Amino acid sequence: MIGKLRGVIDSYTDDYVILDVQGVGYQVHCSTRTLQSLPQIGEAATLSIETYVREDQIKLFGFRTDHE
């Protein structure tokens, strides 16, 4: 599973960020607090990832620290 992503912030929405990792855009769902702590679009960011797998979907949840 995916445990960490390091890339460039591509875009934001109300509940997720698109993180560009070497040309692949990962949709990472984050809390409001995490989204507010991320750098601006075009800047580098690293997120700890919790991968959620169901029969009909895969979601990535991002956190600034492992403790969050």
Side-chain angles (χ1 to χ4, degrees):
M1 290 294 144
I2 298 170
K4 178 175 85 169
L5 289 172
R6 181 179 306 142
V8 175
I9 302 293
D10 183 73
S11 61
Y12 288 101
T13 69
D14 290 337
D15 65 342
Y16 67 84
V17 62
I18 301 294
L19 189 65
D20 184 319
V21 180
Q22 297 183 358
V24 178
Y26 290 91
Q27 181 179 9
V28 182
H29 295 269
C30 301
S31 69
T32 301
R33 181 175 66 177
T34 298
L35 287 171
Q36 291 173 346
S37 72
L38 291 173
Q40 300 294 321
I41 292 174
E43 295 183 19
T46 300
L47 292 170
S48 294
I49 301 295
E50 181 69 29
T51 305
Y52 177 75
V53 179
R54 283 186 21 179
E55 185 176 304
D56 60 341
Q57 67 180 330
I58 298 173
K59 281 189 173 183
L60 302 177
F61 292 91
F63 307 93
R64 289 292 284 171
T65 66
D66 290 335
H67 298 289
E68 186 182 356

